[in-house]
Amino acid sequence: SSRRAAHNSQAGLAALVASAVACVVLQAGLGFAAGAMLWVAWLELGKDAIEACGATTAMSIAVVAGAIMWQAHDLFDEEGESRDQLVRLWAAARALMAGNSTGGN
């Protein structure tokens, strides 16, 4: 019985260590992936957008898109009326983009 308890405690300790290592590796991997996505988005796609639309339009759209994503994240964290708020936010973003597409730089 005491041998089984010692084995169970060793197995529990091994599982705890494996879980901690996996958590650290996962966080490092996700951090690297986030950095790579920022690199691609800002340095590669940003240059293409500025060349295609001009700096003012590209940066305006980037700021609006960032604000929409931030608000959408906040909406998804809450329960209840989040879908209605998201629909209104999406309609406002579409109206803003429709108005911005004819405005030039």
Side-chain angles (χ1 to χ4, degrees):
S1 176
S2 65
R3 191 172 190 182
R4 177 178 259 182
H7 178 70
N8 286 343
S9 71
Q10 288 175 346
L13 180 61
L16 181 64
V17 169
S19 174
V21 169
C23 185
V24 169
V25 170
L26 179 66
Q27 289 177 354
L30 290 175
F32 178 78
M37 288 303 298
L38 284 173
W39 178 270
V40 169
W42 285 105
L43 295 180
E44 299 296 326
L45 298 176
K47 283 190 267 185
D48 293 343
I50 289 171
E51 289 174 8
C53 303
T56 304
T57 301
M59 292 303 143
S60 298
I61 291 172
V63 167
V64 168
I68 290 170
M69 286 185 273
W70 188 343
Q71 289 300 313
H73 180 269
D74 287 345
L75 291 176
F76 285 126
D77 281 347
E78 299 172 2
E79 296 292 329
E81 62 185 60
S82 62
R83 184 184 184 287
D84 294 336
Q85 290 176 348
L86 188 59
V87 168
R88 287 193 301 270
L89 184 64
W90 178 248
R94 287 180 61 190
L96 181 65
M97 293 301 160
N100 199 7
S101 67
T102 61
N105 286 337

